[in-house]
């Protein structure tokens, strides 16, 4: 039979593969599916944007229930793990070096501002510390490469100053995430190798480790203990990112995955109820509850992952902001706490306006102060994106962009924004 002719009864064809008159026509082959365009998964981009917004709201209002409503850190580590697994299709050393290169320059810009303000406020890292002066100075390296916890003063300035005297603690607080991210990036080639050979043990090992180091069974003192605990708590979410990229989650029956995740999340809430932290049900203070709740939550988010190439329906109106927040995720995360504090001296000037001199006007501002901070912090984040966000482009070896929301001048949509 002529090559390329579908396998049919020979009587339908002449000697050269031409259908005989009156013979039934061979069915046309199904058209090949259109190849999927390469690009970013907009569902994952949307999750990252939601996580960033939730982080800002949590650090502004301090609502502990937000850690249950949407565990942002677990989601962000899972998304980063998925992207890391995709990148590791290339040589591991180049991928790790590229990820570290993209992380450090934005950190250096933030560290330069933070250290300048702390030194200007009279901070001396060699004083009021249990470490030797040489070691205290050596710890400053963590502002350059976040392998450990950077030092900072717990109190600086005065309560009656421009900022409250704990501003340095709040400004440096987000740096733990960069330390954990760096550890995961460096460990990813080994973790992915282990996952591909023993997926379930690799996936569940961080939860077991959390049960050991996050409950007091084994106590590791100091910042080393904090780093190991963070690695254990969010390690399961990072490896879940591997499972998502490798297609493992699609092989699990959805009802089974959701049922198992729900039981794990229920255990996390049960554990939190018996081991509340200083702020009650704040999962950030309860490692085992955070690990299990975040793990189950992320499984459900990823098991239903629709893999959008474009945001559908009403979500499409948020496309530009989603693109912008993903292109400037490191900038937003690093600076948001400092910008929240910067709203305070700005709003305090409002009390000096002539129409604010009455008791009723001042009381109204007092009652709505946090809400005004919320509205004011977003323009400040936007100004910071324009001021220093381009450093992320330099770090990624791209052309610097002032406002990378995926729109060209003139309003045309940039294709590469989804690429």
């Amino acid at each position: 039979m002529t090559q390329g002719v579908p396998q049919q009864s020979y009587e339908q064809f002449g000697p050269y593969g031409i259908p005989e008159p009156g013979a039934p026509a061979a069915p046309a082959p199904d058209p090949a599916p259109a190849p999927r365009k390469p690009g970013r998964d907009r569902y994952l981009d949307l999750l990252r944007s939601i996580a960033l917004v939730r982080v800002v709201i949590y650090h502004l209002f301090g609502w502990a229930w937000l850690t249950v409503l949407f565990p942002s850190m677990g989601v962000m580590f899972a998304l980063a793990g998925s992207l890391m697994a995709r990148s590791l299709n290339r040589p591991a050393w180049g991928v790790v070096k590229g990820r570290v290169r993209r992380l450090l320059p934005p950190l250096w810009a933030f560290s330069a501002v933070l250290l300048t303000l702390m030194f200007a406020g009279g901070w001396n890292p060699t004083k009021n510390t249990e470490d030797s002066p040489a070691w205290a100075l050596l710890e400053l390296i963590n502002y350059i490469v976040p392998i450990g916890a950077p030092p900072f003063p717990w109190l600086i300035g005065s309560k009656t100053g421009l900022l409250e005297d704990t501003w340095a603690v709040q400004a440096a607080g987000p740096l733990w995430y960069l330390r954990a991210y760096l550890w995961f990036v460096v460990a990813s080639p080994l973790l992915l190798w282990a996952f591909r050979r023993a997926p379930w043990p690799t996936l569940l090992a961080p939860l077991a480790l959390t049960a050991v180091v996050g409950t007091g069974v084994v106590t590791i003192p100091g910042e080393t203990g904090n780093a190991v605990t963070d690695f254990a708590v969010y390690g399961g979410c990072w490896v879940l990112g591997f499972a998502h990229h490798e297609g493992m989650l699609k092989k699990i029956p959805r009802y089974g995955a959701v049922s198992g995740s729900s039981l794990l999340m229920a255990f996390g809430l049960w554990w939190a109820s018996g081991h509340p932290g200083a702020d009650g049900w704040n999962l950030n203070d309860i490692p085992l509850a955070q690990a299990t709740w975040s793990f189950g939550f992320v499984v459900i988010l990823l098991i239903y992952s629709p893999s959008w190439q474009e945001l559908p329906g009403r979500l499409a109106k948020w496309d530009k902001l989603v693109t912008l927040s993903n292109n400037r995720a490191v900038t937003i995360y690093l600076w948001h706490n400092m910008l929240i504090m910067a709203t305070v001296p700005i709003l305090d000037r409002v009390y000096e306006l002539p129409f604010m001199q009455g008791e009723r006007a001042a009381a109204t501002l007092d009652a709505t102060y946090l809400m005004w901070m919320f509205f004011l912090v977003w323009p400040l984040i936007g100004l910071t994106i324009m001021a220093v966000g381009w450093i992320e482009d330099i770090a990624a070896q791209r052309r610097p962009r002032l406002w990378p929301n995926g729109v060209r001048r003139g309003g045309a949509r940039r294709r590469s924004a989804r690429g």
Side-chain angles (χ1 to χ4, degrees):
M1 185 178 296
T2 305
Q3 184 177 3
V5 177
Q7 187 70 30
Q8 304 224 359
S9 157
Y10 181 77
E11 288 76 16
Q12 296 178 1
F13 299 91
Y16 301 103
I18 301 175
E20 294 284 1
D30 294 333
R36 177 171 176 156
K37 298 177 181 179
R40 293 183 64 94
D41 188 327
R42 299 300 281 170
Y43 175 72
L44 301 186
D45 287 347
L46 177 64
L47 291 181
R48 185 178 292 103
S49 297
I50 295 173
L52 285 170
V53 171
R54 205 284 280 161
V55 166
V56 175
I57 294 174
Y58 168 76
H59 284 151
L60 174 58
F61 294 100
W63 295 329
W65 53 266
L66 285 174
T67 63
V68 177
L69 179 66
F70 194 87
S72 285
M73 293 296 99
V75 172
M76 291 172 68
F77 280 120
L79 301 182
S82 180
L83 291 175
M84 190 69 186
R86 184 175 71 174
S87 298
L88 283 173
N89 292 327
R90 306 191 301 271
W93 169 245
V95 173
V96 171
K97 184 172 66 174
R99 294 290 179 185
V100 173
R101 186 193 66 239
R102 295 176 68 170
L103 177 70
L104 296 184
L107 171 64
W108 295 340
F110 177 78
S111 297
V113 173
L114 182 58
L115 288 171
T116 298
L117 292 175
M118 290 192 298
F119 288 140
W123 177 53
N124 185 342
T126 63
K127 294 182 178 180
N128 300 321
T129 177
E130 298 178 356
D131 300 322
S132 66
W135 183 256
L137 291 174
L138 186 62
E139 285 185 326
L140 293 176
I141 195 69
N142 290 302
Y143 283 103
I144 302 174
V145 181
I147 54 177
F152 49 81
W154 287 92
L155 298 174
I156 187 171
S158 64
K159 292 183 178 181
T160 58
L162 190 63
L163 296 173
E164 60 181 83
D165 54 1
T166 60
W167 69 265
V169 178
Q170 299 178 56
L175 295 179
W176 76 268
Y177 172 80
L178 273 71
R179 175 189 65 195
Y181 178 86
L182 181 64
W183 279 38
F184 282 128
V185 165
V186 173
S188 281
L190 179 59
L191 286 175
L192 186 58
W193 175 87
F195 174 79
R196 287 172 173 170
R197 284 154 181 79
W200 284 107
T202 307
L203 189 61
L204 299 177
L207 295 179
L209 181 60
T210 305
V212 174
V213 301
T215 61
V217 174
V218 173
T219 301
I220 304 175
E223 285 300 328
T224 301
N226 292 334
V228 172
T229 300
D230 291 338
F231 190 88
V233 167
Y234 298 107
C237 293
W238 187 274
V239 180
L240 272 176
F242 293 173
H244 173 261
H245 175 264
E246 298 287 299
M248 174 183 172
L249 297 181
K250 294 182 179 179
K251 301 175 182 178
I252 304 174
R254 184 172 291 180
Y255 69 88
V258 173
S259 300
S261 297
S262 299
L263 290 174
L264 190 62
M265 294 166 70
F267 170 81
L269 294 182
W270 172 79
W271 183 266
S273 68
H275 303 80
D279 298 323
W281 282 64
N282 190 330
L283 300 187
N284 293 332
D285 301 330
I286 314 171
L288 185 58
Q290 177 73 282
T292 51
W293 178 264
S294 297
F295 188 96
F297 197 96
V298 167
V299 167
I300 294 175
L301 286 179
L302 295 183
I303 204 77
Y304 284 97
S305 177
S307 298
W308 296 324
Q309 288 191 306
E310 295 183 357
L311 295 178
R314 295 182 179 180
L315 291 175
K317 65 182 179 180
W318 301 101
D319 184 85
K320 296 176 185 177
L321 289 178
V322 169
T323 300
L324 177 67
S325 62
N326 277 268
N327 282 325
R328 294 294 180 260
V330 177
T331 299
I332 295 171
Y333 184 81
L334 275 174
W335 292 88
H336 77 275
N337 249 12
M338 189 176 290
L339 297 175
I340 288 173
M341 291 183 289
T343 64
V344 174
I346 296 174
L347 286 174
D348 284 349
R349 301 286 78 78
V350 176
Y351 288 102
E352 302 173 3
L353 298 175
F355 61 84
M356 292 296 299
Q357 300 311 305
E359 292 184 4
R360 185 174 181 180
T364 300
L365 182 56
D366 288 343
T368 58
Y369 200 93
L370 286 176
M371 191 58 63
W372 287 110
M373 290 176 66
F374 173 78
F375 288 122
L376 184 56
V377 73
W378 299 109
L380 294 181
I381 289 175
L383 291 174
T384 303
I385 286 174
M386 291 190 290
V388 298
W390 52 269
I391 297 175
E392 290 195 55
D393 291 327
I394 299 295
Q397 297 181 337
R398 292 192 299 256
R399 178 180 59 83
R401 298 166 294 173
L402 194 64
W403 193 254
N405 65 346
V407 177
R408 294 181 184 272
R409 291 182 179 180
R413 193 79 176 91
R414 181 181 293 119
R415 290 182 181 274
S416 61
R418 297 192 183 97

